[in-house]
Amino acid sequence: MSAAEHLGTYAEGWTKGDAAAILKATVADYTFDDPNAGRISRSAFTSYLNGLKETVAACSGGKLPDPFMKLSEVVTQEADGVLTAWCWWEVPGTEIKGSGLIKVTPTGVRSEVITYYAKVAG
């Protein structure tokens, strides 16, 4: 598979909230960096996503939205064999949203770092 195909599989997994699909697109040393949860290893990712789903359900009346996540404003750049993707993401029906920075090679998704969009109290 190409880096772009791995990215597509990864993105589809997020829209469905499907940990197995997300992990199918990743490499063995994949990491997911969430400022609220810290750096998540591939082996701990399913547990992380299940916790996120619990949070989402609590914010949306006890059920998960369908789709689980919407991705937009995807921008990609390829350099030195690495595909870098930036995107805007949001969980429908909640205030949970932000952006992601994803690194992908022809062997799979290597990492993602996310940020959350929040209003500054003032």
Side-chain angles (χ1 to χ4, degrees):
M1 289 178 76
S2 69
E5 290 169 322
H6 287 298
L7 180 61
T9 298
Y10 184 77
E12 183 177 353
W14 275 107
T15 64
K16 294 178 178 179
D18 182 342
I22 293 166
L23 292 174
K24 179 181 177 184
T26 64
V27 297
D29 61 347
Y30 164 80
T31 58
F32 184 84
D33 196 345
D34 177 329
N36 292 323
R39 184 175 233 163
I40 311 301
S41 67
R42 188 177 195 279
S43 63
F45 182 80
T46 299
S47 178
Y48 163 81
L49 187 58
N50 288 338
L52 178 60
K53 286 179 177 181
E54 289 175 12
T55 299
V56 168
C59 294
S60 58
K63 61 186 252 182
L64 296 176
D66 184 21
F68 176 71
M69 189 173 287
K70 289 185 179 180
L71 306 174
S72 63
E73 306 301 324
V74 178
V75 177
T76 61
Q77 174 185 352
E78 189 165 353
D80 300 323
V82 177
L83 179 65
T84 300
W86 299 266
C87 70
W88 182 255
W89 58 267
E90 61 183 280
V91 178
T94 73
E95 293 293 317
I96 304 171
K97 55 189 164 185
S99 64
L101 176 66
I102 307 160
K103 298 288 187 172
V104 191
T105 65
T107 58
V109 177
R110 301 197 58 76
S111 65
E112 181 172 5
V113 177
I114 65 166
T115 62
Y116 290 94
Y117 173 80
K119 295 179 183 176
V120 177

